[in-house]
Amino acid sequence: MGTESSISDSDWDRPFTDEELQAIDAICRSATPSSSSSPIKKRHEPGCTDDYASTLSPPKTRRRLPDSLFNFRKEMHTSFSFSPCSRNRFHSRNNTVYRSSYQEMKFGGQIVYSRTVEEVEKAADELLHFIEAKKSKEGGCILGLDIEWRPTFIKGVAPGKAAVMQICGDNNCCHVLHIIHSGIPQKLRSLLEDPTSLKVGVGIANDASKVFQDHNISIMALEDLSNLANWKLGGIPKKWSLATLTEMLICRQLPKPNKIRLGNWEVEVLSKEQLKYAATDAYVSWYLYQVLKSFPEPVDNKSEKTCLE
C-alpha cells in the first residue's frame, strides 16, 4: 500500500504539452526499427460500425500520445513482453468523455502466505536462495516490494504498524508475509538489508521509512517506479500511482477496492482477496520495472549539444 503518490482526474485528463510529446517521440523513434513499424488501427466501441464511429465528436480535452509510442516494438531479452496502450484511450458519446475499459492485471503464479516466525524464516530462506540464483545467472536481482497496514479514520489516532510485506521476483511466485504476527526475523532482516538486491515500487522510500519506524529495520537498495517513469518518459514530471502507471504502460487496470485496500490487515488470517491484492501489487511493481528498463536511456540534449560544439 505505502503512500503512493496519486494524480487527480484533472491532471490525468490534461493534454500532453508539445515538449512532452516531442520527448516521448524522440525516445520511441530511437528504439523502433523503421522497417518493422505498422499502422495501428483505431479501436471502436463493441458493436459500433465505422460509419457510426466517424460521427462521434472527439472530446475537447483528451490526452494524446505520439504515434511512435504505439509502434514501439523493442526486442527484449527477458521472459515477458508487453503491448503499448492504444491511442484511443478515451471515447466520446453525447459529449461525455470517459476512460476505456481495460482488462484487469492479475498475478497468475503461486502465492506463498507465511504468518508465524518459522514460516516467515522459511520464506525468507527461499527468497535468499532465489536471489543468489538470480545473481549467478543474470548478474543481479530485482524484487517488487510493498507493504500494507491497518489505516485509521479517527483524528489523533495513529495508523497501525506495517502488518503485511509482499515480495515478488518473477512471474511464478509471490511471498506474502504477515509480519504483524511474526515480526521480522533474522533471515528476513538480512534480505531487506542486502544492498545487492534492488527493491522496487511506487513510493517505496515511504514504505521503507514506515518499516524502519515500526520494526527498526533499514531496507537497502531502493528504486521508485514513479521517478524512473518520469526519467524514462521525459517531459513534465508526474506523480504516478501504481494503478495509473499500470494503465499508462501496459493498458491494464490495477483494481484498488477500498474494502480491501483500507481493510484490516492485522486480522488473524488474511482472506483470499487480501492475499491476491497484496501479491498483485508486488508482482506489478516487479513487472513495471522490467517494462521501464526496456525503454532506451533518455538523451540529454544539452550535454549532446555541448559535445557537438
Side-chain angles (χ1 to χ4, degrees):
M1 180 168 68
T3 53
E4 291 184 359
S5 300
S6 61
I7 58 176
S8 65
D9 288 339
S10 60
D11 181 56
W12 180 257
D13 293 337
R14 176 182 61 77
F16 274 110
T17 64
D18 289 340
E19 181 184 359
E20 289 174 295
L21 292 172
Q22 291 170 7
I24 298 176
D25 255 329
I27 290 174
C28 297
R29 278 198 302 270
S30 67
T32 306
S34 58
S35 61
S36 62
S37 60
S38 59
I40 303 300
K41 296 181 179 180
K42 291 185 177 181
R43 296 166 59 189
H44 305 307
E45 285 287 318
C48 290
T49 64
D50 287 348
D51 289 338
Y52 172 73
S54 65
T55 65
L56 298 178
S57 301
K60 293 182 179 179
T61 302
R62 66 185 293 173
R63 189 170 189 174
R64 186 180 69 82
L65 295 180
D67 293 344
S68 57
L69 183 58
F70 311 116
N71 295 329
F72 179 69
R73 292 292 186 273
K74 179 179 173 67
E75 292 186 3
M76 303 174 65
H77 300 289
T78 53
S79 60
F80 71 94
S81 62
F82 73 98
S83 299
C85 290
S86 166
R87 159 191 288 271
N88 295 324
R89 57 179 294 108
F90 297 100
H91 297 279
S92 173
R93 180 175 292 171
N94 298 327
N95 295 322
T96 300
V97 179
Y98 57 94
R99 289 179 185 168
S100 300
S101 176
Y102 292 132
Q103 186 178 0
E104 287 188 2
M105 186 73 174
K106 296 180 180 179
F107 174 62
Q110 180 186 17
I111 300 174
V112 180
Y113 174 41
S114 307
R115 60 177 303 280
T116 67
V117 174
E118 293 76 16
E119 290 171 347
V120 170
E121 277 287 74
K122 181 180 179 181
D125 188 57
E126 291 175 359
L127 280 165
L128 287 169
H129 281 88
F130 170 82
I131 290 170
E132 290 306 313
K134 278 284 188 179
K135 289 179 183 177
S136 176
K137 183 178 180 181
E138 302 176 9
C141 182
I142 309 301
L143 298 174
L145 186 146
D146 198 6
I147 63 172
E148 312 293 340
W149 62 86
R150 177 179 52 79
T152 181
F153 305 99
I154 303 175
K155 186 176 181 180
V157 177
K161 295 174 64 175
V164 175
M165 179 178 291
Q166 52 266 41
I167 301 174
C168 187
D170 61 15
N171 293 302
N172 302 317
C173 180
C174 279
H175 285 269
V176 179
L177 313 174
H178 212 169
I179 58 175
I180 195 68
H181 299 305
S182 67
I184 298 183
Q186 184 56 45
K187 287 186 178 180
L188 179 56
R189 182 184 188 121
S190 297
L191 185 156
L192 297 175
E193 293 180 342
D194 176 16
T196 65
S197 59
L198 185 64
K199 294 86 175 175
V200 300
V202 170
I204 194 168
N206 294 324
D207 286 349
S209 178
K210 182 163 181 61
V211 170
F212 179 78
Q213 177 184 347
D214 295 344
H215 297 276
N216 196 31
I217 300 293
S218 297
I219 304 179
M220 305 295 290
L222 308 174
E223 180 147 11
D224 192 294
L225 294 176
S226 182
N227 294 339
L228 180 60
N230 285 326
W231 183 60
K232 286 284 189 173
L233 297 177
I236 299 174
K238 296 175 175 58
K239 293 182 179 180
W240 299 100
S241 68
L242 191 60
T244 55
L245 198 56
T246 300
E247 184 176 327
M248 169 67 179
L249 292 176
I250 58 175
C251 277
R252 291 291 185 272
Q253 288 185 21
L254 183 61
K256 290 286 184 179
N258 286 337
K259 181 180 179 181
I260 299 176
R261 183 173 66 91
L262 303 177
N264 182 10
W265 294 94
E266 296 180 5
V267 292
E268 194 66 22
V269 178
L270 294 177
S271 68
K272 184 177 180 180
E273 290 73 23
Q274 285 177 309
L275 289 172
K276 286 183 177 180
Y277 176 97
T280 300
D281 270 10
Y283 169 66
V284 170
S285 294
W286 170 82
Y287 188 94
L288 293 186
Y289 179 84
Q290 313 299 325
V291 172
L292 286 167
K293 291 301 287 186
S294 74
F295 279 68
E297 297 296 312
V299 177
D300 188 337
N301 293 327
K302 292 183 178 179
S303 298
E304 186 178 45
K305 183 178 179 181
T306 302
C307 291
L308 290 174
E309 291 176 350

